[in-house]
Amino acid sequence: MPKNSNRIIIFDTTLRDGEQSPGASMSVEEKIKIAKAFDDLGVDVMEVGFPAASNGDFQAAKEIGKILKKAIPCGLARATKSDIEKCRDSLKHTKQFRIHTFLSTSALHMKYKLKKTPKEVLELIKESVSLARKYTNDVEWSPEDGTRTEPDFLCKTVELAIKSGATTINIPDTVGYTMPEEYFKTIKLLFDKVPNIDKAVVSTHCHNDLGLAVANSLAGVKAGARQIECTINGIGERAGNAALEEIVMAMKTRNDLMPFKTGINTKKLSSCSKLVSNVTGFPVQFNKAIVGKNAFAHESGIHQDGMLKNKKTYEIMTPESVGVIKSSLVMGKHSGRNAFKDKATELGYSNLDEKFINKAFLKFKDLADKKKHVYDEDIIALIDDDFVKHNNAISLVSLQVFAGTKGPQKAIIELMVYDKVKKIESTGDGPVDAIFKGIGKIYPHKCNLQLYQVQAVTQGTDAQATVSVRIEEKGKISVGQAADTDTLVASAKAYINALNKLIIKRTRTAPSPDLSVSA
């Protein structure tokens, strides 16, 4: 592929380099499942494993090679006859396959890892690439630790690999050491100094030890590389590899500066990310670019307000473009009034007046200060609770409860009853009994308690409790419900809620209750 082409080959190594993440081993069945998804995603070349590493890798490569419809399967091999033949044997039944062989070229690696001279390394490159080329016309060669290899020697090894039959030359930043400007110069050096470089596709393979894998890969493309080696979610050894989803979306979003295209169906990025996460057990960090849980979530009130007016104010790409259903306005303590009103409308409360919205919003902010996450169910419970009380005869002013193993349990309760504040102290057989008896003293009534039920609205120890109360008076049944992070407060509110409904059901001409018994 010529340097001036704008088509970038996506070489996915999730099943090989990604699996080398400690704890990320996958079964043959799991690899096949991922391979099918990646084939559908539009990956051009799929490094399906290291066939010589184990029988499992060999079998996985063999089975994946059979099921791929579009992607070219590739096996990794060290510069040895046995490794290269294992690659051939695992993939020989496929229509087309690639052998990817490598050898260290940095002075550090040659001296301490290989214990070989530069001359011996050159001889091994010639032998291994030539052997691989006998088995397939698609051979990739990598100078391991390429970014720390002496420039002139790097050029010499690349020239030899191409002469020996390599059709792709990959320059690995094996230890994640290089910087974008430096990597650009390394790739450009090959085009300037290697006479036969036009006979091969130049590839990038960057690790993320300094958090620069994606930036370095893109720098390599700008210098002339036309293949990028990457993994979904950026998984891989140590700090991982360049993330496929970030690379693809960077080129798609900033096509003005990166005028390149890939064959990736970006709408499948999110599902592939989830699949890899589920199979490996590696969670995707919430703030991970493109596929993280918070990538299209907004909690700041300023951001939410902008999103409601025009999504482009705070989103440089649409969530749908990467397979996410929609943006999320996360309701929390940083959320603004407009976002709360929009959420209330979304939940079906479209006719609330501004005064009520303002009041409910303040209560929402109080709740958000107590809870990490405010769920839709929390907001529904809050609005329902407040809506019923809008013009109530009775409302809770304050509640203090004393409970524990040593009785009697006591409640100090203060109510607003027909615009008059009344306070009383009451004891009972348990804190809830003390609360209900106290309410009965402040507002005398003869009701039978038919139901008292507590249920958590959302998960977690900070969940709101929804309390349901059903009372009966002379055949009239009234049901009250309330929610609060304090179960006892919710209990008092639910009972009062039921009483208010009961008052509405009573004859409107009935005399007001005598409140003189209140303390």
Side-chain angles (χ1 to χ4, degrees):
M1 184 176 290
K3 175 184 175 182
N4 60 1
S5 170
N6 71 344
R7 174 65 159 85
I8 305 301
I9 298 168
I10 296 299
F11 178 112
D12 182 85
T13 183
T14 301
L15 297 177
R16 200 279 300 171
D17 205 342
E19 195 194 20
Q20 291 179 200
S21 303
S25 292
M26 311 171 204
S27 67
V28 174
E29 293 74 19
E30 289 170 335
K31 285 187 175 184
I32 290 174
K33 188 176 182 180
I34 289 175
K36 287 180 178 178
F38 285 8
D39 199 31
D40 196 36
L41 176 66
V43 164
D44 297 296
V45 183
M46 196 181 306
E47 195 162 46
V48 294
F50 192 166
S54 69
N55 185 55
D57 258 29
F58 182 92
Q59 290 300 324
K62 184 177 180 179
E63 295 304 318
I64 292 170
K66 293 177 182 177
I67 58 101
L68 293 183
K69 295 178 180 178
K70 294 175 286 186
I72 296 171
C74 173
L76 183 70
R78 289 165 295 194
T80 65
K81 185 174 184 288
S82 60
D83 271 26
I84 292 168
E85 288 179 344
K86 280 282 188 181
C87 273
R88 176 204 60 187
D89 293 343
S90 66
L91 297 172
K92 64 183 179 182
H93 300 294
T94 64
K95 184 178 179 180
Q96 182 182 0
F97 66 91
R98 177 181 295 188
I99 293 177
H100 178 193
T101 185
F102 67 97
L103 189 65
S104 293
T105 55
S106 69
L108 183 67
H109 276 220
M110 287 191 292
K111 181 178 179 180
Y112 293 103
K113 178 184 172 183
L114 299 181
K115 300 187 187 305
K116 293 187 182 297
T117 66
K119 184 178 179 180
E120 290 173 313
V121 166
L122 289 170
E123 187 59 34
L124 276 173
I125 293 170
K126 182 179 178 180
E127 290 176 3
S128 58
V129 174
S130 297
L131 178 62
R133 186 58 190 255
K134 286 182 180 179
Y135 303 134
T136 177
N137 61 3
D138 190 349
V139 176
E140 178 171 336
W141 181 74
S142 294
E144 187 179 8
D145 205 21
T147 54
R148 293 194 296 176
T149 297
E150 193 274 321
D152 286 342
F153 186 65
L154 178 65
C155 290
K156 187 180 292 187
T157 62
V158 168
E159 182 180 358
L160 176 60
I162 296 171
K163 281 182 179 178
S164 301
T167 51
T168 299
I169 296 295
N170 178 49
I171 306 300
D173 183 28
T174 306
V175 291
Y177 181 71
T178 197
M179 295 279 182
E181 184 179 356
E182 183 181 47
Y183 195 64
F184 177 93
K185 290 178 180 178
T186 299
I187 300 299
K188 190 173 183 300
L189 177 72
L190 301 181
F191 286 100
D192 292 341
K193 300 289 187 181
V194 177
N196 57 356
I197 195 67
D198 60 318
K199 292 180 171 58
V201 173
V202 176
S203 176
T204 71
H205 182 111
C206 299
H207 279 263
N208 206 38
D209 297 71
L210 294 176
L212 295 169
V214 170
N216 288 333
S217 299
L218 295 175
V221 168
K222 294 194 80 170
R226 290 297 178 264
Q227 176 178 285
I228 299 177
E229 304 196 357
C230 45
T231 63
I232 285 286
N233 297 338
I235 67 170
E237 289 189 275
R238 303 183 313 279
N241 290 266
L244 183 154
E245 63 277 3
E246 294 178 25
I247 286 167
V248 170
M249 290 310 295
M251 289 189 287
K252 184 174 182 177
T253 304
R254 293 309 310 272
N255 203 243
D256 55 330
L257 297 178
M258 299 292 296
F260 308 104
K261 62 182 180 180
T262 71
I264 297 296
N265 180 351
T266 62
K267 291 182 180 180
K268 297 183 181 294
L269 288 172
S270 181
S271 60
C272 285
S273 168
K274 289 182 175 67
L275 174 60
V276 171
S277 178
N278 290 338
V279 167
T280 61
F282 282 22
V284 178
Q285 66 190 66
F286 283 11
N287 64 329
K288 168 76 173 63
I290 315 301
V291 293
K293 181 180 179 181
N294 291 347
F296 296 95
H298 309 266
E299 183 178 334
S300 163
I302 295 172
H303 288 212
Q304 289 178 340
D305 185 56
M307 284 289 295
L308 290 170
K309 293 171 180 174
N310 189 320
K311 291 183 178 181
K312 290 183 179 179
T313 54
Y314 288 101
E315 284 186 350
I316 60 173
M317 67 193 84
T318 66
E320 294 84 0
S321 69
V322 299
V324 177
I325 296 174
K326 63 177 182 177
S327 303
S328 171
L329 299 187
V330 180
M331 303 309 293
K333 65 179 181 179
H334 300 296
S335 298
R337 181 187 176 281
N338 283 349
F340 177 77
K341 183 179 179 181
D342 185 73
K343 173 60 73 173
T345 301
E346 180 187 316
L347 294 173
Y349 301 96
S350 56
N351 298 316
L352 301 178
D353 61 45
E354 293 301 310
K355 183 178 179 181
F356 182 85
I357 284 289
N358 291 337
K359 183 179 178 184
F361 176 62
L362 291 176
K363 292 196 172 185
F364 159 75
K365 294 290 272 188
D366 288 340
L367 177 63
D369 277 333
K370 299 175 184 177
K371 288 174 60 66
K372 276 186 178 181
H373 303 291
V374 180
Y375 299 90
D376 286 357
E377 294 91 337
D378 290 318
I379 295 173
I380 290 169
L382 183 151
I383 293 177
D384 280 347
D385 184 36
D386 212 37
F387 191 75
V388 172
K389 300 186 305 179
H390 205 32
N391 291 303
N392 280 336
I394 307 169
S395 60
L396 180 67
V397 176
S398 69
L399 175 66
Q400 189 175 10
V401 179
F402 300 87
T405 56
K406 295 182 179 180
Q409 284 70 41
K410 180 173 67 174
I412 300 174
I413 189 165
E414 192 173 7
L415 302 180
M416 174 78 76
V417 183
Y418 295 113
D419 298 324
K420 292 183 180 179
V421 176
K422 296 293 178 178
K423 185 176 181 180
I424 200 168
E425 182 178 309
S426 178
T427 58
D429 185 15
V432 174
D433 186 50
I435 291 168
F436 289 178
K437 284 181 177 177
I439 294 171
K441 288 181 180 179
I442 293 178
Y443 183 84
H445 58 280
K446 293 182 180 179
C447 293
N448 297 316
L449 179 65
Q450 294 186 331
L451 172 72
Y452 171 74
Q453 183 175 295
V454 181
Q455 183 178 2
V457 174
T458 50
Q459 64 264 39
T461 56
D462 62 351
Q464 279 201 103
T466 291
V467 176
S468 299
V469 169
R470 184 169 67 230
I471 57 176
E472 182 270 334
E473 180 189 61
K474 296 180 180 179
K476 294 184 177 69
I477 295 175
S478 179
V479 177
Q481 192 177 69
D484 198 277
T485 52
D486 188 316
T487 305
L488 296 177
V489 171
S491 299
K493 288 180 177 179
Y495 194 91
I496 293 167
N497 180 249
L499 270 181
N500 279 314
K501 290 180 180 179
L502 189 63
I503 291 169
I504 293 171
K505 291 182 179 182
R506 288 174 178 171
T507 306
R508 292 186 181 277
T509 56
S512 298
D514 180 7
L515 304 180
S516 60
V517 296
S518 303

